[in-house]
Amino acid sequence: YREDVQKHRITKLFLTSLFAFVLMQNISFADVLEFAQVSDVHYTLENKVLDRYLYFLSLSLKKTNPDFVVFLGDNVDKSREEDVIGFMRSIHNINTPYYIVLGKTDAHKLSGIEKDIYLDIVTTFNRNQRDKEKYYFFKPNSKFICVVLDDTSDFAPSKHGEISDEQIAWLDTLLTKYPNKLFLIFHHSPLLPPRVEYKLSMLNTEKYQSMLDKHNNILLISSGHYHQEAVQTDEKGVRHISAPAFKDIPHSYQLIKIIYDEKTLKSPKDIEVTVTKVKV
């Protein structure tokens, strides 16, 4: 009887150890990409409270330690050179690589500074963004490609976003060139908004959507503009993530975690994406 009990204990210990080993192997194969997105800061030199919370943001990012940060546009409240410089100085102590998206209030010829001047300031302060391009891409690792598009007007401020034919063609080429990479797309106005509000909607979406529908390597599209947090998934499994406005109390941003492995890398629908709202 004692021998049977001993054999049972040994067998149980072996199976437990084997299960733990297999579990650890599965965990070791899983990879994580984590990034933060901050939207609609609407910075002004006069708003000292907001300036202080941007400092708190840098402290929060040190704790959460994402792989990169994206500012989703409307970074300044008025298209003034001094405010853009002030904004870039306020976020300059962020140690995490960060990237800037143009928003409707940031740069326009009619009643503000032109995009070239805006981007000249951005690239002067931001060591990760040296090319003065309105739209561009970067690679956070070997598996993902991040694309930043400009849906804002060049001439006058507008509440409507629109992706130009030039950018649609450029993105189409990029998606075709890298079919085995997963794409994260960022622009200020959402393609799939968190609520119906025509005065804020993106214009002429048919051509943009039609191009996206050709491809199966798009994981998510992130934007701001509506000052409302939401996560939606379309028929192809693409996540559409809307960010809250940082300027609004309680001054928050989103932390997005993507858990993937080699088996699920080519299937966006099966990749785990979690979105956490973080108060600073």
Side-chain angles (χ1 to χ4, degrees), residues 229-268:
E229 186 176 26
V231 180
Q232 304 175 83
T233 304
D234 65 22
E235 295 178 353
K236 294 198 69 175
V238 178
R239 282 75 160 185
H240 295 256
I241 304 174
S242 295
F246 185 83
K247 79 175 187 69
D248 295 339
I249 297 172
H251 307 296
S252 57
Y253 66 95
Q254 288 171 320
L255 195 64
I256 299 173
K257 181 181 291 186
I258 302 169
I259 300 175
Y260 65 97
D261 58 38
E262 293 297 333
K263 295 179 181 178
T264 61
L265 186 61
K266 297 180 183 179
S267 180

mmCIF file of all heavy atoms in Angstrom, residues 229-268:
data_model
loop_
_atom_site.group_PDB
_atom_site.id
_atom_site.type_symbol
_atom_site.label_atom_id
_atom_site.label_comp_id
_atom_site.label_asym_id
_atom_site.label_seq_id
_atom_site.Cartn_x
_atom_site.Cartn_y
_atom_site.Cartn_z
ATOM 1 N N GLU A 229 -13.278 57.823 -25.491
ATOM 2 C CA GLU A 229 -12.589 56.536 -25.519
ATOM 3 C C GLU A 229 -13.514 55.450 -26.046
ATOM 4 O O GLU A 229 -14.673 55.353 -25.637
ATOM 5 C CB GLU A 229 -12.113 56.167 -24.117
ATOM 6 C CG GLU A 229 -11.265 54.924 -24.075
ATOM 7 C CD GLU A 229 -10.732 54.655 -22.681
ATOM 8 O OE1 GLU A 229 -11.370 55.087 -21.705
ATOM 9 O OE2 GLU A 229 -9.677 54.015 -22.581
ATOM 10 N N ALA A 230 -13.013 54.643 -26.984
ATOM 11 C CA ALA A 230 -13.813 53.536 -27.528
ATOM 12 C C ALA A 230 -12.890 52.548 -28.226
ATOM 13 O O ALA A 230 -11.833 52.917 -28.746
ATOM 14 C CB ALA A 230 -14.857 54.048 -28.520
ATOM 15 N N VAL A 231 -13.306 51.280 -28.225
ATOM 16 C CA VAL A 231 -12.609 50.232 -28.971
ATOM 17 C C VAL A 231 -13.659 49.471 -29.762
ATOM 18 O O VAL A 231 -14.603 48.919 -29.189
ATOM 19 C CB VAL A 231 -11.854 49.269 -28.027
ATOM 20 C CG1 VAL A 231 -11.146 48.195 -28.854
ATOM 21 C CG2 VAL A 231 -10.869 50.014 -27.155
ATOM 22 N N GLN A 232 -13.512 49.460 -31.082
ATOM 23 C CA GLN A 232 -14.451 48.771 -31.962
ATOM 24 C C GLN A 232 -13.670 47.858 -32.904
ATOM 25 O O GLN A 232 -12.518 48.135 -33.238
ATOM 26 C CB GLN A 232 -15.267 49.775 -32.779
ATOM 27 C CG GLN A 232 -16.015 50.809 -31.932
ATOM 28 C CD GLN A 232 -16.709 51.846 -32.790
ATOM 29 O OE1 GLN A 232 -17.818 51.644 -33.285
ATOM 30 N NE2 GLN A 232 -16.049 52.992 -32.964
ATOM 31 N N THR A 233 -14.311 46.788 -33.334
ATOM 32 C CA THR A 233 -13.687 45.852 -34.271
ATOM 33 C C THR A 233 -14.556 45.721 -35.500
ATOM 34 O O THR A 233 -15.766 45.488 -35.398
ATOM 35 C CB THR A 233 -13.510 44.465 -33.614
ATOM 36 O OG1 THR A 233 -12.762 44.606 -32.408
ATOM 37 C CG2 THR A 233 -12.776 43.517 -34.544
ATOM 38 N N ASP A 234 -13.953 45.904 -36.686
ATOM 39 C CA ASP A 234 -14.742 45.813 -37.908
ATOM 40 C C ASP A 234 -14.813 44.366 -38.395
ATOM 41 O O ASP A 234 -14.323 43.441 -37.739
ATOM 42 C CB ASP A 234 -14.201 46.752 -38.993
ATOM 43 C CG ASP A 234 -12.793 46.388 -39.470
ATOM 44 O OD1 ASP A 234 -12.376 45.212 -39.306
ATOM 45 O OD2 ASP A 234 -12.100 47.266 -40.017
ATOM 46 N N GLU A 235 -15.430 44.153 -39.540
ATOM 47 C CA GLU A 235 -15.678 42.803 -40.048
ATOM 48 C C GLU A 235 -14.399 42.030 -40.343
ATOM 49 O O GLU A 235 -14.383 40.801 -40.308
ATOM 50 C CB GLU A 235 -16.552 42.875 -41.308
ATOM 51 C CG GLU A 235 -17.955 43.408 -41.048
ATOM 52 C CD GLU A 235 -18.771 43.513 -42.324
ATOM 53 O OE1 GLU A 235 -18.192 43.293 -43.409
ATOM 54 O OE2 GLU A 235 -19.971 43.812 -42.225
ATOM 55 N N LYS A 236 -13.312 42.743 -40.635
ATOM 56 C CA LYS A 236 -12.047 42.086 -40.948
ATOM 57 C C LYS A 236 -11.181 41.868 -39.711
ATOM 58 O O LYS A 236 -10.066 41.367 -39.812
ATOM 59 C CB LYS A 236 -11.267 42.895 -41.990
ATOM 60 C CG LYS A 236 -11.950 42.954 -43.349
ATOM 61 C CD LYS A 236 -10.995 43.357 -44.447
ATOM 62 C CE LYS A 236 -9.984 42.267 -44.717
ATOM 63 N NZ LYS A 236 -9.097 42.563 -45.871
ATOM 64 N N GLY A 237 -11.700 42.254 -38.553
ATOM 65 C CA GLY A 237 -10.947 42.060 -37.321
ATOM 66 C C GLY A 237 -10.024 43.202 -36.970
ATOM 67 O O GLY A 237 -9.249 43.106 -36.010
ATOM 68 N N VAL A 238 -10.078 44.295 -37.736
ATOM 69 C CA VAL A 238 -9.246 45.463 -37.438
ATOM 70 C C VAL A 238 -9.830 46.205 -36.238
ATOM 71 O O VAL A 238 -11.017 46.523 -36.215
ATOM 72 C CB VAL A 238 -9.163 46.415 -38.653
ATOM 73 C CG1 VAL A 238 -8.339 47.655 -38.312
ATOM 74 C CG2 VAL A 238 -8.570 45.694 -39.859
ATOM 75 N N ARG A 239 -8.993 46.480 -35.237
ATOM 76 C CA ARG A 239 -9.442 47.253 -34.085
ATOM 77 C C ARG A 239 -9.359 48.742 -34.393
ATOM 78 O O ARG A 239 -8.311 49.225 -34.849
ATOM 79 C CB ARG A 239 -8.586 46.963 -32.855
ATOM 80 C CG ARG A 239 -8.892 45.664 -32.132
ATOM 81 C CD ARG A 239 -8.378 44.467 -32.855
ATOM 82 N NE ARG A 239 -8.255 43.312 -31.950
ATOM 83 C CZ ARG A 239 -7.729 42.152 -32.317
ATOM 84 N NH1 ARG A 239 -7.261 41.987 -33.555
ATOM 85 N NH2 ARG A 239 -7.650 41.155 -31.478
ATOM 86 N N HIS A 240 -10.423 49.451 -34.111
ATOM 87 C CA HIS A 240 -10.457 50.903 -34.251
ATOM 88 C C HIS A 240 -10.499 51.480 -32.838
ATOM 89 O O HIS A 240 -11.498 51.332 -32.126
ATOM 90 C CB HIS A 240 -11.659 51.347 -35.066
ATOM 91 C CG HIS A 240 -11.620 50.886 -36.489
ATOM 92 N ND1 HIS A 240 -11.296 51.724 -37.541
ATOM 93 C CD2 HIS A 240 -11.849 49.664 -37.040
ATOM 94 C CE1 HIS A 240 -11.337 51.038 -38.679
ATOM 95 N NE2 HIS A 240 -11.665 49.785 -38.403
ATOM 96 N N ILE A 241 -9.407 52.130 -32.443
ATOM 97 C CA ILE A 241 -9.272 52.610 -31.071
ATOM 98 C C ILE A 241 -9.348 54.132 -31.044
ATOM 99 O O ILE A 241 -8.566 54.816 -31.709
ATOM 100 C CB ILE A 241 -7.949 52.136 -30.464
ATOM 101 C CG1 ILE A 241 -7.861 50.599 -30.537
ATOM 102 C CG2 ILE A 241 -7.811 52.610 -29.022
ATOM 103 C CD1 ILE A 241 -6.531 50.039 -30.088
ATOM 104 N N SER A 242 -10.309 54.659 -30.299
ATOM 105 C CA SER A 242 -10.455 56.097 -30.117
ATOM 106 C C SER A 242 -9.919 56.481 -28.753
ATOM 107 O O SER A 242 -10.207 55.808 -27.755
ATOM 108 C CB SER A 242 -11.932 56.514 -30.234
ATOM 109 O OG SER A 242 -12.416 56.289 -31.544
ATOM 110 N N ALA A 243 -9.140 57.568 -28.710
ATOM 111 C CA ALA A 243 -8.471 57.971 -27.468
ATOM 112 C C ALA A 243 -9.211 59.118 -26.793
ATOM 113 O O ALA A 243 -9.805 59.960 -27.457
ATOM 114 C CB ALA A 243 -7.037 58.380 -27.770
ATOM 115 N N PRO A 244 -9.156 59.178 -25.465
ATOM 116 C CA PRO A 244 -9.722 60.319 -24.745
ATOM 117 C C PRO A 244 -8.849 61.555 -24.927
ATOM 118 O O PRO A 244 -7.691 61.454 -25.357
ATOM 119 C CB PRO A 244 -9.707 59.847 -23.285
ATOM 120 C CG PRO A 244 -8.550 58.892 -23.224
ATOM 121 C CD PRO A 244 -8.517 58.201 -24.562
ATOM 122 N N ALA A 245 -9.386 62.722 -24.611
ATOM 123 C CA ALA A 245 -8.615 63.961 -24.694
ATOM 124 C C ALA A 245 -7.791 64.140 -23.427
ATOM 125 O O ALA A 245 -8.331 64.143 -22.320
ATOM 126 C CB ALA A 245 -9.552 65.150 -24.888
ATOM 127 N N PHE A 246 -6.505 64.316 -23.585
ATOM 128 C CA PHE A 246 -5.630 64.493 -22.427
ATOM 129 C C PHE A 246 -5.963 65.775 -21.675
ATOM 130 O O PHE A 246 -5.795 65.854 -20.455
ATOM 131 C CB PHE A 246 -4.165 64.508 -22.875
ATOM 132 C CG PHE A 246 -3.184 64.572 -21.743
ATOM 133 C CD1 PHE A 246 -2.808 63.424 -21.059
ATOM 134 C CD2 PHE A 246 -2.632 65.783 -21.341
ATOM 135 C CE1 PHE A 246 -1.917 63.477 -20.004
ATOM 136 C CE2 PHE A 246 -1.738 65.844 -20.285
ATOM 137 C CZ PHE A 246 -1.373 64.688 -19.613
ATOM 138 N N LYS A 247 -6.437 66.787 -22.383
ATOM 139 C CA LYS A 247 -6.730 68.070 -21.741
ATOM 140 C C LYS A 247 -7.910 67.979 -20.772
ATOM 141 O O LYS A 247 -8.035 68.785 -19.850
ATOM 142 C CB LYS A 247 -7.031 69.145 -22.797
ATOM 143 C CG LYS A 247 -8.430 69.104 -23.385
ATOM 144 C CD LYS A 247 -8.687 70.252 -24.318
ATOM 145 C CE LYS A 247 -10.149 70.300 -24.774
ATOM 146 N NZ LYS A 247 -11.062 70.652 -23.691
ATOM 147 N N ASP A 248 -8.787 66.988 -20.976
ATOM 148 C CA ASP A 248 -9.968 66.846 -20.129
ATOM 149 C C ASP A 248 -9.613 66.128 -18.834
ATOM 150 O O ASP A 248 -8.832 65.174 -18.828
ATOM 151 C CB ASP A 248 -11.070 66.061 -20.859
ATOM 152 C CG ASP A 248 -11.607 66.804 -22.075
ATOM 153 O OD1 ASP A 248 -11.441 68.042 -22.139
ATOM 154 O OD2 ASP A 248 -12.182 66.145 -22.965
ATOM 155 N N ILE A 249 -10.218 66.563 -17.755
ATOM 156 C CA ILE A 249 -10.061 65.855 -16.488
ATOM 157 C C ILE A 249 -10.690 64.468 -16.628
ATOM 158 O O ILE A 249 -11.775 64.354 -17.176
ATOM 159 C CB ILE A 249 -10.729 66.668 -15.346
ATOM 160 C CG1 ILE A 249 -10.008 68.020 -15.194
ATOM 161 C CG2 ILE A 249 -10.713 65.903 -14.033
ATOM 162 C CD1 ILE A 249 -10.686 68.970 -14.251
ATOM 163 N N PRO A 250 -10.003 63.379 -16.242
ATOM 164 C CA PRO A 250 -8.854 63.305 -15.318
ATOM 165 C C PRO A 250 -7.485 63.235 -15.979
ATOM 166 O O PRO A 250 -6.570 62.603 -15.410
ATOM 167 C CB PRO A 250 -9.153 62.018 -14.552
ATOM 168 C CG PRO A 250 -9.758 61.119 -15.591
ATOM 169 C CD PRO A 250 -10.571 62.029 -16.469
ATOM 170 N N HIS A 251 -7.282 63.832 -17.160
ATOM 171 C CA HIS A 251 -5.974 63.862 -17.822
ATOM 172 C C HIS A 251 -5.393 62.454 -17.954
ATOM 173 O O HIS A 251 -4.540 62.015 -17.173
ATOM 174 C CB HIS A 251 -4.999 64.760 -17.063
ATOM 175 C CG HIS A 251 -5.504 66.145 -16.808
ATOM 176 N ND1 HIS A 251 -5.770 67.031 -17.825
ATOM 177 C CD2 HIS A 251 -5.833 66.780 -15.656
ATOM 178 C CE1 HIS A 251 -6.215 68.166 -17.311
ATOM 179 N NE2 HIS A 251 -6.272 68.031 -15.991
ATOM 180 N N SER A 252 -5.860 61.745 -18.957
ATOM 181 C CA SER A 252 -5.489 60.342 -19.098
ATOM 182 C C SER A 252 -4.985 60.028 -20.504
ATOM 183 O O SER A 252 -5.185 60.795 -21.451
ATOM 184 C CB SER A 252 -6.679 59.432 -18.761
ATOM 185 O OG SER A 252 -7.788 59.748 -19.572
ATOM 186 N N TYR A 253 -4.328 58.889 -20.606
ATOM 187 C CA TYR A 253 -3.871 58.373 -21.890
ATOM 188 C C TYR A 253 -4.177 56.886 -21.936
ATOM 189 O O TYR A 253 -4.666 56.303 -20.961
ATOM 190 C CB TYR A 253 -2.377 58.647 -22.096
ATOM 191 C CG TYR A 253 -1.448 57.926 -21.147
ATOM 192 C CD1 TYR A 253 -0.855 56.720 -21.495
ATOM 193 C CD2 TYR A 253 -1.137 58.462 -19.895
ATOM 194 C CE1 TYR A 253 0.012 56.062 -20.630
ATOM 195 C CE2 TYR A 253 -0.268 57.816 -19.027
ATOM 196 C CZ TYR A 253 0.298 56.619 -19.397
ATOM 197 O OH TYR A 253 1.148 55.956 -18.547
ATOM 198 N N GLN A 254 -3.916 56.255 -23.080
ATOM 199 C CA GLN A 254 -4.185 54.831 -23.234
ATOM 200 C C GLN A 254 -2.883 54.044 -23.346
ATOM 201 O O GLN A 254 -1.933 54.487 -23.991
ATOM 202 C CB GLN A 254 -5.041 54.571 -24.475
ATOM 203 C CG GLN A 254 -6.484 55.022 -24.344
ATOM 204 C CD GLN A 254 -7.218 54.950 -25.677
ATOM 205 O OE1 GLN A 254 -6.667 55.274 -26.722
ATOM 206 N NE2 GLN A 254 -8.464 54.516 -25.636
ATOM 207 N N LEU A 255 -2.886 52.901 -22.712
ATOM 208 C CA LEU A 255 -1.780 51.961 -22.818
ATOM 209 C C LEU A 255 -2.301 50.729 -23.546
ATOM 210 O O LEU A 255 -3.248 50.090 -23.097
ATOM 211 C CB LEU A 255 -1.272 51.588 -21.427
ATOM 212 C CG LEU A 255 0.085 50.891 -21.343
ATOM 213 C CD1 LEU A 255 1.191 51.812 -21.845
ATOM 214 C CD2 LEU A 255 0.367 50.463 -19.905
ATOM 215 N N ILE A 256 -1.710 50.426 -24.680
ATOM 216 C CA ILE A 256 -2.194 49.344 -25.533
ATOM 217 C C ILE A 256 -1.156 48.225 -25.571
ATOM 218 O O ILE A 256 0.006 48.441 -25.909
ATOM 219 C CB ILE A 256 -2.485 49.862 -26.958
ATOM 220 C CG1 ILE A 256 -3.565 50.940 -26.888
ATOM 221 C CG2 ILE A 256 -2.909 48.721 -27.881
ATOM 222 C CD1 ILE A 256 -3.821 51.647 -28.184
ATOM 223 N N LYS A 257 -1.602 47.035 -25.212
ATOM 224 C CA LYS A 257 -0.717 45.871 -25.151
ATOM 225 C C LYS A 257 -1.146 44.855 -26.212
ATOM 226 O O LYS A 257 -2.312 44.472 -26.281
ATOM 227 C CB LYS A 257 -0.770 45.227 -23.764
ATOM 228 C CG LYS A 257 0.145 44.020 -23.603
ATOM 229 C CD LYS A 257 0.023 43.408 -22.214
ATOM 230 C CE LYS A 257 0.601 44.313 -21.160
ATOM 231 N NZ LYS A 257 0.616 43.658 -19.824
ATOM 232 N N ILE A 258 -0.187 44.446 -27.017
ATOM 233 C CA ILE A 258 -0.424 43.453 -28.068
ATOM 234 C C ILE A 258 0.379 42.205 -27.724
ATOM 235 O O ILE A 258 1.609 42.247 -27.635
ATOM 236 C CB ILE A 258 0.010 43.997 -29.441
ATOM 237 C CG1 ILE A 258 -0.751 45.287 -29.773
ATOM 238 C CG2 ILE A 258 -0.208 42.953 -30.537
ATOM 239 C CD1 ILE A 258 -0.206 46.032 -30.969
ATOM 240 N N ILE A 259 -0.320 41.104 -27.514
ATOM 241 C CA ILE A 259 0.324 39.831 -27.202
ATOM 242 C C ILE A 259 0.211 38.922 -28.422
ATOM 243 O O ILE A 259 -0.881 38.690 -28.936
ATOM 244 C CB ILE A 259 -0.334 39.165 -25.978
ATOM 245 C CG1 ILE A 259 -0.218 40.093 -24.750
ATOM 246 C CG2 ILE A 259 0.316 37.821 -25.679
ATOM 247 C CD1 ILE A 259 -0.932 39.571 -23.530
ATOM 248 N N TYR A 260 1.329 38.426 -28.895
ATOM 249 C CA TYR A 260 1.335 37.668 -30.142
ATOM 250 C C TYR A 260 2.434 36.606 -30.088
ATOM 251 O O TYR A 260 3.297 36.611 -29.216
ATOM 252 C CB TYR A 260 1.572 38.605 -31.329
ATOM 253 C CG TYR A 260 2.940 39.251 -31.320
ATOM 254 C CD1 TYR A 260 3.983 38.723 -32.062
ATOM 255 C CD2 TYR A 260 3.174 40.390 -30.557
ATOM 256 C CE1 TYR A 260 5.237 39.312 -32.043
ATOM 257 C CE2 TYR A 260 4.419 40.981 -30.521
ATOM 258 C CZ TYR A 260 5.449 40.441 -31.274
ATOM 259 O OH TYR A 260 6.695 41.013 -31.247
ATOM 260 N N ASP A 261 2.384 35.683 -31.018
ATOM 261 C CA ASP A 261 3.478 34.752 -31.252
ATOM 262 C C ASP A 261 3.509 34.424 -32.742
ATOM 263 O O ASP A 261 2.711 34.943 -33.524
ATOM 264 C CB ASP A 261 3.361 33.496 -30.386
ATOM 265 C CG ASP A 261 2.062 32.741 -30.610
ATOM 266 O OD1 ASP A 261 1.595 32.670 -31.765
ATOM 267 O OD2 ASP A 261 1.503 32.209 -29.632
ATOM 268 N N GLU A 262 4.417 33.574 -33.123
ATOM 269 C CA GLU A 262 4.589 33.272 -34.541
ATOM 270 C C GLU A 262 3.348 32.646 -35.162
ATOM 271 O O GLU A 262 3.057 32.825 -36.340
ATOM 272 C CB GLU A 262 5.783 32.337 -34.736
ATOM 273 C CG GLU A 262 7.121 32.969 -34.392
ATOM 274 C CD GLU A 262 7.470 34.142 -35.284
ATOM 275 O OE1 GLU A 262 6.988 34.175 -36.433
ATOM 276 O OE2 GLU A 262 8.203 35.035 -34.838
ATOM 277 N N LYS A 263 2.588 31.898 -34.379
ATOM 278 C CA LYS A 263 1.402 31.229 -34.906
ATOM 279 C C LYS A 263 0.277 32.203 -35.215
ATOM 280 O O LYS A 263 -0.521 31.971 -36.117
ATOM 281 C CB LYS A 263 0.915 30.177 -33.914
ATOM 282 C CG LYS A 263 1.882 29.026 -33.698
ATOM 283 C CD LYS A 263 1.339 28.038 -32.679
ATOM 284 C CE LYS A 263 2.325 26.895 -32.442
ATOM 285 N NZ LYS A 263 1.818 25.948 -31.411
ATOM 286 N N THR A 264 0.192 33.291 -34.447
ATOM 287 C CA THR A 264 -0.934 34.217 -34.613
ATOM 288 C C THR A 264 -0.543 35.512 -35.315
ATOM 289 O O THR A 264 -1.384 36.358 -35.551
ATOM 290 C CB THR A 264 -1.535 34.584 -33.241
ATOM 291 O OG1 THR A 264 -0.523 35.233 -32.445
ATOM 292 C CG2 THR A 264 -2.050 33.370 -32.528
ATOM 293 N N LEU A 265 0.732 35.652 -35.650
ATOM 294 C CA LEU A 265 1.209 36.921 -36.199
ATOM 295 C C LEU A 265 0.495 37.321 -37.474
ATOM 296 O O LEU A 265 0.236 38.488 -37.716
ATOM 297 C CB LEU A 265 2.719 36.838 -36.448
ATOM 298 C CG LEU A 265 3.377 38.156 -36.881
ATOM 299 C CD1 LEU A 265 3.216 39.210 -35.808
ATOM 300 C CD2 LEU A 265 4.849 37.936 -37.186
ATOM 301 N N LYS A 266 0.143 36.342 -38.318
ATOM 302 C CA LYS A 266 -0.493 36.650 -39.593
ATOM 303 C C LYS A 266 -2.016 36.653 -39.513
ATOM 304 O O LYS A 266 -2.694 36.785 -40.520
ATOM 305 C CB LYS A 266 -0.028 35.641 -40.654
ATOM 306 C CG LYS A 266 1.468 35.703 -40.941
ATOM 307 C CD LYS A 266 1.865 34.683 -41.997
ATOM 308 C CE LYS A 266 3.371 34.695 -42.242
ATOM 309 N NZ LYS A 266 3.775 33.694 -43.256
ATOM 310 N N SER A 267 -2.553 36.513 -38.333
ATOM 311 C CA SER A 267 -4.005 36.471 -38.171
ATOM 312 C C SER A 267 -4.438 37.524 -37.155
ATOM 313 O O SER A 267 -4.536 37.228 -35.974
ATOM 314 C CB SER A 267 -4.445 35.072 -37.713
ATOM 315 O OG SER A 267 -5.845 35.017 -37.555
ATOM 316 N N PRO A 268 -4.692 38.766 -37.596
ATOM 317 C CA PRO A 268 -5.032 39.844 -36.665
ATOM 318 C C PRO A 268 -6.219 39.526 -35.759
ATOM 319 O O PRO A 268 -6.254 39.964 -34.612
ATOM 320 C CB PRO A 268 -5.348 41.014 -37.601
ATOM 321 C CG PRO A 268 -4.571 40.728 -38.837
ATOM 322 C CD PRO A 268 -4.598 39.239 -38.978
#
